[in-house]
Amino acid sequence: DLDSRLERNQSEFRLSKKPSKRDVERSEAGLLDTEQRYKMNSTDDFFYTENYIKINNSHLMPEKTARQIVDAFGFTVTQSR
C-alpha cells in the first residue's frame, strides 16, 4: 500500500543502495505522482485469474513473499549462482 511504499522509500537500506532516492522530497513527490497517474494495486478485476495472486507484502520478508508465489504457481526452486 502507499503508506508502506512511502516508508520503504526513506529506509536507510534503500537510500544506501539507490542514489536516485537520496533526494527524499523529490523521490516522494515522484512516488505520489505515480500513485495518482497509474493503478498501483490490483483489485479483483485481473483478467488472467489463473495466473494471479494478490499478496499484501507490507509486513512480509521477501523470502516469505517469494515462497507464497512459488507455492501458488507450483514453481520449482533452484539454487542461484
Side-chain angles (χ1 to χ4, degrees):
D1 62 6
L2 178 59
D3 289 338
S4 295
R5 288 198 303 277
L6 288 169
E7 186 178 325
R8 287 180 189 154
N9 200 48
Q10 296 183 32
S11 73
E12 185 177 328
F13 179 77
R14 185 173 183 87
L15 296 175
S16 72
K17 300 296 181 187
K18 295 191 169 224
S20 65
K21 302 296 180 184
R22 292 180 189 152
D23 182 344
V24 175
E25 288 181 23
R26 180 175 177 213
S27 177
E28 185 172 303
L31 197 153
L32 293 171
D33 179 60
T34 299
E35 179 74 22
Q36 290 177 349
R37 288 177 180 230
Y38 303 102
K39 182 176 183 176
M40 299 302 291
N41 289 305
S42 299
T43 54
D44 293 330
D45 59 353
F46 196 73
F47 45 89
Y48 293 115
T49 55
E50 68 279 2
N51 295 326
Y52 175 79
I53 180 173
K54 185 171 184 174
I55 300 173
N56 181 345
N57 65 341
S58 298
H59 304 289
L60 292 178
M61 296 299 292
E63 295 79 9
K64 280 206 172 225
T65 304
R67 173 52 55 195
Q68 286 186 19
I69 294 166
V70 166
D71 291 347
F73 295 111
F75 293 148
T76 301
V77 178
T78 59
Q79 295 296 323
S80 60
R81 297 181 204 189

